[in-house]
Amino acid sequence: MRPLLKVLYSLCWSNVYLIMGICMGLSFSLLLVPIDIDKQHDIAESFDHSSNTLEDVDPYEPRINTDGKPQQAPKARKAFVRPRYYSTELGIREKLFVGVITSREHLHSRDVALNKTVAHIVDKIRYFISIPEGTKPNVSFPGIVGFTDTRNVLKPFHAMKYIIDNYLENYDYYFLVKDVSYVNARGLAEFVNKISVSQNVHAGVLSEIENYCSLEPGVLLSNSVIQEIKNNLDWCVKNAYSDSDDVNVGRCILHSTSMPCTDRVQGQDFKFTRLKPAFHFKRDFAELAERSDFRNSLSVYPIHDHMLVYKFNMYFAAINCMKVHKLIGDIRKVISETAHLGPPNQRNVSWPIGNQPGNRPSGRFDVLRWSYFNESHAFFETDFVNIQELRGNTKSDLDYVIDAAANNIISKHDDKLSYKRLLNGYQKFDASRGMDYILDIAFNEVATGKEVRKRIEVCKPLGKVEIIPVPYVTENTRINVVVLIDLEKKQDALNFMEHYAQDCMEKKYKTFLMVVLLYNFNSQSKGKGDVFYEVKKNILALNEKYKKDQSRITWLSIRLPSNVTSVDFDPMMKIAVTDLCAKKFSPESLVLLAETGAKLKMDYLNRVRMNTISRYQIFSPIPFIEYHPDIIYTDEVAHDEVDVNSNYGKYDEQNYNNIAFYIKDYNAMRQTVEANIPLTRSDKDIATLLKFSKHSPVTSLFEMYVSFSDMHVFRAIEPTLKIKYKDVNCEDDFNDSIYKSCLRLKNSHLGKRSQLARLILDYQNYHT
C-alpha cells in the first residue's frame, strides 16, 4: 500500500502546478456564473402545472384556437401590363413640340406658311386660336386647337393647359411662339439636340422687361419647367393682369421656377434676328445675308407678310443644302483616303463613293434586268411587252437624266461640246441602291462640228426611307364575298361554293357569301323551271348544314335588259351590279368582289382585311392565272391545284376582277362620279347605264376609284389567289373596245411564248 501511495505522491508533487491551476480555474468559473433562483423556481412550477393540466384535459372538450387570429385578407396582386411601346416603359420622349399662338384671321396666311416650313421637321406642331363656340376656322389643316374663351390675355395659359393635359409626358422641349416670326426649324432641332434634358431650360430673346422672354421670336421651355408650371397654373391665371403676353408668361415662369430668361443654354446661344420696321426684302436682304448672326438665327421677327416666310425658308434651306453637300464631300474624301486600311478583299470603293455597292447576285436567277431605251420608247421592259412608248413621269424622268448627264459633260469640256442625240440607254433598278443608267450620247464639237461619242454612267441613289403612317386595322373584320353568276357559269358557281364550304364555312372563317344571279331578260326565275334552281338548292343545303356555325350564303337576283352584250368585259355592267349589291350591306361592311375560278385561302382573306382600310385605302390583288391545260400539261397529268410557276401560268396585271373596299367608301366615290356615270338604283336602270359602254370614261371598277376618288389604291401580286383556266368566248356582237379586250385576254391566257412556239412548230411538222 505504501509503495502505491509513494507513487501517487510523486506524481502529484511533480504536477503540483497543473493541479493548482485546474482547481483555481474551476473556483473562479463557479464564482462568476449568475444564479437566478426565482426564475428556476417559476420554471419548475410551470412545468409541474403543465404536466398536471395535460393529464386533466378532456380530448373531446372543444378548444378555441386563437393562433394567427384575426386573419388579414391577402392583397390581390395586380397584373403587370406592359406598355405598347418600349419607349413609354423606358420614359423616352420625343424631342420638340412647337405651339403657335395665333388668331383665326391669320390661319390661311401666316399659319399655312409656318405649317409648310416647320411641320415636317419638328415632332409635333399645334396652332392655338380663340374661336367663338359654334363657328369654324376659315382653313382646314391638322393641328388647329380652338379655345372658346376669347380673352386674348389668357390664350397663352390655355395653350399651356392644353400642353399639360395632352403632351406633358411626350416631349423634352416645348417652343411657344407667336405667328409673326419665321422659325428656322432645322436650326432649332439642332439646338435642342445639343443640350441636356437634365437641367431646366428657359431660353429665348429677352423682352423689354428684364428676366422675361418675348413670345414673338419664341420661348423654349424644358419638360421640367412645364412640370413646375403645372403646379402654379392657377396662380398664373389669377395674376395675368398685364396687357402684354410677355409679362404674364414671364411672371408665371419666374414664379414657378425662379429661373429668369436667358439667351444662352449650356454653351449654346439662342441666336435671332430682329428686322427693322421698314424692312424691304429686295432692298435689304443682300445686306442682311452677309451677317453671320442672321445665317445662324433660330428665329427672325417681326414678319407680318407671310410671303417673307417662304423667302426666308428658301434661303435657309439653300444654306442647309450647301452644308449637307460639303459634309458628303468630306465623308467621301475620308472614305477614299482610308480605303487602303480595310481588309484586302474589301478595299474596293463603291461608286458613287459612300453609296451602297449594289446587289451581288448569288445565281443567274438573281441577276437584275437592264432595260434598253431610246428617246421615245422602252424595249423589253417586262417579259410580256416588247416595246412601250415613253409617257408621263417615265418620259420626264429619262429626259431629266439625259439632260443632267449631257450638261455635266459639256461643263467639263468648257462648253466646247454640244448635245446631239442619245444613241443608247440602259436602266436598272436595284432596291438596295437605287436606279442606275448607262447612256451612250453623241456630242458635236462646237469648233469643228465633229461627232464625239461618250459613255456615261449615272446613278440616282435612294433617298431617306420614310415610314408612312396608316390607320390601325385588325384581322377580325368580317368579309362579305360577292360572286357574279350568269347562265354560262352555273357549274363554276357550284364548284366555287363547294370549295367555299370546305375552306371557309367548315373552318369557321369570318366570311359571308352573296351569289349574284344574273337572269337574262327572258329567263324563268321561279319554281323548278328556274335556270338557277340547282344553284339555289345547293345554297339552301349549305345553309342548313352549317346553320349552327352562323355561316350563311345568300343570293341576289338581277334581271338583265335585252341590250346586254357581255357580263365579263363590259365595265358598266359590273358597276351597275355593284351598285345594286352595295344597297344590301351596311356602310361599315367590307366587300370583296371575287371570281368563281378562285379558292379563298386564309392567308389571302387576312391580307384583304389588313390591306383594305376604311376611308383610306382599297385593295386589288393581282391573281396568278392558269394557262390552257392542253398546252401546259402535254407531257404530264393535269394538276388539281395551280402551281405558281412560269410554265403553268402568270400574274395577270390586266385582271381587275378582284377588288376589296368598304361600302361607305364606295358610296362616297359613286356620289362624286354620279354626274358622269349615273347610279343604278334598280334593275330597270341597268339599260340606261349600259348606254355609256361605247364611250365609257372608265374601263373597270378599279379605274373608277383611281380616277374619281382620293383614296389610296394598293395593288400587288397575291400568290395564294390562283385562278383556274376558263374558256373565253369573244362574240361578234360585242362593240369594238370590248371585242379587242376580249381577244387580248384570250390570247394572253393560252401559254408562254416558248410553249406557243413549240405548238406551232409541232403543227407545222405534223403537216409536212
Side-chain angles (χ1 to χ4, degrees), residues 438-476:
I438 297 177
L439 306 176
D440 295 332
I441 300 179
F443 296 89
N444 285 333
E445 290 185 352
V446 177
T448 62
K450 182 181 178 181
E451 183 177 292
V452 178
R453 296 185 177 184
K454 299 283 186 180
R455 168 160 284 192
I456 308 161
E457 186 174 352
V458 182
C459 177
K460 288 176 61 177
L462 292 174
K464 181 182 178 181
V465 178
E466 298 183 7
I467 299 176
I468 301 176
V470 296
Y472 179 71
V473 292
T474 65
E475 296 181 351
N476 297 324

Side-chain angles (χ1 to χ4, degrees), residues 704-767:
M704 189 163 64
Y705 267 104
V706 174
S707 303
F708 299 100
S709 175
D710 57 355
M711 294 185 63
H712 291 256
V713 176
F714 182 53
R715 185 158 169 81
I717 61 172
E718 178 52 55
T720 60
L721 180 58
K722 307 169 186 177
I723 309 296
K724 296 288 288 185
Y725 176 81
K726 54 187 176 182
D727 292 325
V728 179
N729 297 322
C730 301
E731 300 178 3
D732 295 336
D733 56 351
F734 292 171
N735 63 54
D736 291 341
S737 60
I738 295 179
Y739 185 72
K740 290 179 180 178
S741 62
C742 180
L743 286 179
R744 184 168 57 251
L745 177 67
K746 182 177 181 179
N747 296 334
S748 63
H749 288 187
L750 292 176
K752 289 178 62 177
R753 294 178 182 177
S754 58
Q755 294 170 338
L756 297 177
R758 184 189 61 191
L759 191 65
I760 294 173
L761 293 175
D762 292 343
Y763 178 79
Q764 291 176 347
N765 294 333
Y766 177 77
H767 286 279

Side-chain angles (χ1 to χ4, degrees), residues 512-516 539 543 552-556:
F512 170 82
L513 176 61
M514 173 183 281
V515 179
V516 181
I539 291 174
N543 286 338
R552 293 181 63 248
I553 303 177
T554 187
W555 70 77
L556 174 65

Side-chain angles (χ1 to χ4, degrees), residues 369-388:
R369 178 199 301 266
W370 282 94
S371 299
Y372 178 79
F373 65 90
N374 56 24
E375 293 181 340
S376 60
H377 291 80
F379 301 87
F380 301 104
E381 194 171 9
T382 66
D383 292 334
F384 310 104
V385 179
N386 292 336
I387 184 170
Q388 182 74 34

Side-chain angles (χ1 to χ4, degrees), residues 124 260 286 359 455 621 628 640 730 753:
K124 182 77 73 175
N359 177 56
R455 168 160 284 192
H628 197 296
D640 294 333
C730 301
R753 294 178 182 177

